[in-house]
Amino acid sequence: MNMKKLSPRFFVSEQITTTDLGVASAQGIKTIINNRPDDEAQGQPRSADLAAAAAELGMQFVHLPVVAGKITDENIDQFERAYRTLQGPILMYCRTGTRSTTLWALNEAKTLDVNAVMATAAEAGYDLTAMRARLISRSAATPAAASDLIQKAASTDKHDIVIIGGGTAGLATASSMLRRKPGLDILVIEPREAHYYQPGWTLVGAGIFDRKQTERTMASVMPKRVKWKHAAVTGFEPENNNVVLEDGERIGYRVLVVAAGIKLDWDAIEGLGDTLGKNGVTSNYLYDMAPYTWDLVQQLNEGRAIFTQPPMPIKCAGAPQKAMYLSCDHWLRQGKLKDITVEFHNAGGVLFGVADYVPALSKYVDKYGIDLCLNENLVAVDGPAGKAWFDRSDGEGKTSRIEAEFDMMHVCPVQTAPDFIRQSPLANEAGWVDVSAETLQHNKFGNIFSAGDVCSAPNAKTAAAVRLQAPVVAENALKVLSGSAPHAVYNGYGSCPLTVERGKIVLAEFGYGGKHLPSFPQWLINSYEPSRLAWFLKEKMLPDIYWDLLLKGREWLVDIELLPQIPASREHKDAVDS
Ligand code: FAD
């Protein structure tokens, strides 16, 4: 099989066999799409047989048959729907790969530069010259065409860029844009007076950082050349390029970046709000609460400590177990662990979402004698009574309620998209800002982008992800602002430094589909083993990297993928302009 990469999340090939499925699976492919009608040629493997073999390897298999030389608009719509929802990386095949590549190109032409799409296909060995006119006509039908929206915005008093949220993603994106275009008129809308380095809260909960190290005034971190509006956004008018503030004021933009973070839904768990911060119930997910975690850890000499994890997605999926490992490490060093029962109640069915890191983590689960309670979701707490209730699912749709007593409990809250996003025209069905996983451009409104925890891209929601997302959004938003199509592609990078003991970290770094994307050579930091150097990085270097590089748009160790650029021909330009 000759698998050709068209994007970090998408590959094509000629007809595959069951043996090829094993190779694809080993290379991290999660979904196979077959574009060949069955019985097109003699000896062609049947779709049903390949689907069965793919299922055995844990891969999804989708049959989207397309007749050679007759790709219909319905075929493209079907592919677009599948492409948005299926887990990547995806491998799509037909007889030679041409049909699959063409289908991909016709879909991508809606948002990406047509020349760049054709050049990408050409690099993979597929000449789409004959499709050029059709690709151009697709590009004119961009989701609520960015160029139309921008043109409309030009006639009125609008900011070049409006960014919602002055958190990690909002500020990093503003700075990355200013590095590329210093004179840009950027307005950041952010109600808070403080900015937090949230990844530091794990170390506050373990007594390693003082919480003050994780807080700076918003004024001190706001990039100098942006305007800051101290307000909260409550609504959107995407057709008119406006956002609406709490007091009804409307703010206009040419390009909008939504970076409003994630909502911590403490009320989703009965009784939690009343007891958080007392009765032994804590959470590293709050600036004010992380020091209480360390107080409780130090005070506990015996009894039961419970750590919880809600259903995904959450920000920093490793944070609930980081709190647990560091607490266990302290109790072990103090000789108390033998008198403490530790339970990890995880609503999910696995210890960690990317299987490659589970062996290293499991060793620590064994070392600390942690009772791993999978598929158990916290639903209620009675702090004064020291009791918690979990819904345990048996995997076959049956749920039973179980009760557990605790002396200390660390809770990771349920997390959703903020209400004003969930209820807006920008949201997908799950409530997140509905963007392309690759360009981070909105799927319906071409002059809207999103980065950070609030966007729908299926990456690990982390500050590390923002390192790559911010430059991708900066590149693409500036392209759209200047009337061109996006050309930068996000590979799904995210990272989770799993603090397995004081002084050692398993540094998980991965992209879409769990693809291993290490920042350092393996001889320096072996991603799959606990590392002292990774701990040094987290404790001594990452805070400065956050404040002085990420928030200031200095893109250290960042190499974003730009689709090949070839100068637009006059013919093409005219066609797009008309
Ligand atoms: P945020 O930084 O939360 O910013 C969102 C901003 O939007 C806020 O300032 C908010 O006030 C503003 N906002 C909200 N609503 C509105 C509105 N209506 N109008 C205007 N503005 C609004 N990441 C890592 O990479 N590594 C780690 O080790 C790590 N550990 C973590 C440990 C913990 C305990 C926690 C809580 C997080 C951790 N993270 C880690 C995750 C990381 O902090 C987040 O993923 C990152 O901060 C997301 O950035 P963001 O800009 O999307 O959201």
Side-chain angles (χ1 to χ4, degrees):
M1 177 183 54
N2 195 359
M3 207 164 96
K4 310 262 180 54
K5 179 179 161 189
L6 296 180
S7 86
R9 203 171 150 257
F10 192 79
F11 297 78
V12 287
S13 90
E14 74 285 319
Q15 172 70 52
I16 60 170
T17 62
T18 40
T19 317
D20 295 330
L21 284 173
V23 177
S25 171
Q27 294 190 23
I29 296 293
K30 301 287 183 225
T31 302
I32 306 280
I33 304 179
N34 173 15
N35 291 138
R36 280 189 97 179
D38 270 338
D39 303 321
E40 212 179 38
Q42 255 191 353
Q44 172 188 343
R46 291 190 65 80
S47 213
D49 296 339
L50 287 171
E56 274 181 29
L57 290 162
M59 288 189 288
Q60 223 177 330
F61 189 98
V62 179
H63 194 191
L64 291 181
V66 171
V67 178
K70 290 185 187 155
I71 297 182
T72 63
D73 286 348
E74 199 190 336
N75 291 146
I76 306 169
D77 290 346
Q78 271 179 344
F79 169 64
E80 186 192 355
R81 277 195 298 277
Y83 190 46
R84 258 203 235 170
T85 50
L86 292 170
Q87 197 191 356
I90 296 169
L91 170 65
M92 188 149 92
Y93 74 87
C94 57
R95 189 178 70 80
T96 60
T98 306
R99 252 172 287 177
S100 301
T101 305
T102 310
L103 205 48
W104 169 84
L106 285 165
N107 180 49
E108 293 296 319
K110 277 200 338 190
T111 52
L112 290 170
D113 180 82
V114 169
N115 285 316
V117 168
M118 288 180 66
T120 304
E123 272 188 7
Y126 298 101
D127 179 3
L128 300 186
T129 314
M131 296 299 298
R132 186 183 188 100
R134 193 164 177 202
L135 288 168
I136 289 171
S137 76
R138 295 282 301 171
S139 83
T142 302
S147 50
D148 293 353
L149 287 165
I150 296 224
Q151 237 171 13
K152 199 168 169 187
S155 57
T156 49
D157 182 21
K158 312 266 182 193
H159 295 278
D160 288 340
I161 309 279
V162 167
I163 298 179
I164 303 177
T168 314
L171 297 192
T173 305
S175 295
S176 279
M177 285 176 166
L178 287 169
R179 291 239 162 227
R180 286 165 174 78
K181 199 163 183 228
L184 215 54
D185 160 27
I186 303 182
L187 180 82
V188 173
I189 306 176
E190 167 60 63
R192 281 196 199 153
E193 294 298 329
H195 180 108
Y196 299 105
Y197 173 57
Q198 301 170 43
W201 294 347
T202 295
L203 298 189
V204 175
I208 295 156
F209 279 2
D210 184 284
R211 71 174 171 175
K212 284 280 164 219
Q213 287 170 260
T214 68
E215 182 188 28
R216 291 199 184 169
T217 62
M218 192 60 80
S220 69
V221 293
M222 191 63 67
K224 294 283 171 285
R225 281 168 287 152
V226 310
K227 299 180 194 84
W228 173 19
K229 178 89 180 169
H230 299 58
V233 173
T234 53
F236 298 86
E237 295 172 345
E239 286 85 5
N240 295 323
N241 300 305
N242 286 328
V243 295
V244 185
L245 306 185
E246 290 154 305
D247 61 1
E249 186 188 351
R250 279 161 172 74
I251 306 258
Y253 57 81
R254 293 190 175 82
V255 166
L256 177 69
V257 178
V258 186
I262 204 164
K263 174 181 169 182
L264 303 179
D265 192 358
W266 301 101
D267 295 335
I269 294 161
E270 194 188 320
L272 181 59
D274 296 335
T275 196
L276 193 63
K278 47 185 196 262
N279 304 312
V281 182
T282 188
S283 180
N284 285 350
Y285 274 76
L286 290 174
Y287 173 76
D288 290 335
M289 205 63 56
Y292 184 49
T293 304
W294 179 230
D295 291 346
L296 292 176
V297 169
Q298 286 174 290
Q299 286 157 17
L300 192 70
N301 295 318
E302 57 180 11
R304 177 177 286 133
I306 288 181
F307 295 80
T308 74
Q309 181 171 306
M312 293 290 142
I314 60 172
K315 58 177 157 185
C316 193
Q321 49 189 304
K322 292 189 220 177
M324 175 173 70
Y325 298 135
L326 289 176
S327 304
C328 287
D329 180 64
H330 176 78
W331 294 322
L332 186 66
R333 287 171 199 255
Q334 299 291 310
K336 296 177 184 172
L337 187 60
K338 60 184 181 338
D339 300 316
I340 299 174
T341 303
V342 181
E343 295 175 1
F344 185 44
H345 294 259
N346 179 357
V350 291
L351 181 57
F352 191 70
V354 183
D356 292 340
Y357 303 99
V358 171
L361 299 177
S362 296
K363 280 188 197 153
Y364 280 90
V365 168
D366 293 344
K367 174 179 167 181
Y368 297 133
I370 294 166
D371 188 2
L372 203 53
C373 310
L374 299 177
N375 301 310
E376 290 189 4
N377 190 22
L378 178 67
V379 288
V381 187
D382 181 341
K387 285 186 180 170
W389 289 268
F390 296 86
D391 275 352
R392 177 193 285 161
S393 63
D394 66 358
E396 284 165 14
K398 281 205 201 108
T399 304
S400 54
R401 179 122 335 160
I402 56 163
E403 183 181 288
E405 294 190 352
F406 64 84
D407 298 284
M408 171 195 160
M409 179 158 75
H410 178 276
V411 180
C412 173
V414 172
Q415 297 172 42
T416 64
D419 296 343
F420 81 106
I421 299 288
R422 241 175 337 116
Q423 292 149 8
S424 79
L426 270 51
N428 69 5
E429 274 177 18
W432 310 104
V433 181
D434 184 15
V435 293
S436 146
E438 279 145 356
T439 60
L440 302 176
Q441 185 186 32
H442 197 272
N443 282 318
K444 292 196 203 86
F445 306 105
N447 63 339
I448 298 181
F449 290 82
S450 181
D453 296 344
V454 77
C455 79
S456 66
N459 58 281
K461 294 187 185 296
T462 55
V466 172
R467 273 180 56 216
L468 274 284
Q469 290 181 344
V472 167
V473 170
E475 281 286 337
N476 289 341
L478 292 182
K479 279 273 173 199
V480 163
L481 194 63
S482 67
S484 309
H487 70 143
V489 172
Y490 171 53
N491 60 5
Y493 175 84
S495 164
C496 194
L498 291 143
T499 50
V500 285
E501 62 178 277
R502 194 180 173 121
K504 283 191 187 169
I505 275 178
V506 173
L507 184 59
E509 289 182 288
F510 48 89
Y512 288 140
K515 184 170 192 264
H516 186 210
L517 294 175
S519 299
F520 304 95
Q522 287 302 282
W523 58 263
L524 195 59
I525 297 181
N526 180 343
S527 318
Y528 305 119
E529 296 292 339
S531 151
R532 283 191 191 284
L533 189 57
W535 178 276
F536 180 82
L537 183 74
K538 165 98 184 158
E539 187 188 355
K540 305 290 183 201
M541 293 175 68
L542 285 182
D544 289 341
I545 289 173
Y546 181 85
W547 299 115
D548 297 334
L549 300 186
L550 179 62
L551 292 193
K552 294 190 174 156
R554 298 187 180 118
E555 294 159 13
W556 183 64
L557 286 182
V558 170
D559 187 16
I560 56 168
E561 193 153 340
L562 299 178
L563 292 180
Q565 291 284 286
I566 47 176
S569 69
R570 173 117 204 106
E571 173 204 359
H572 167 234
K573 194 168 182 315
D574 290 345
V576 173
D577 287 348
S578 62

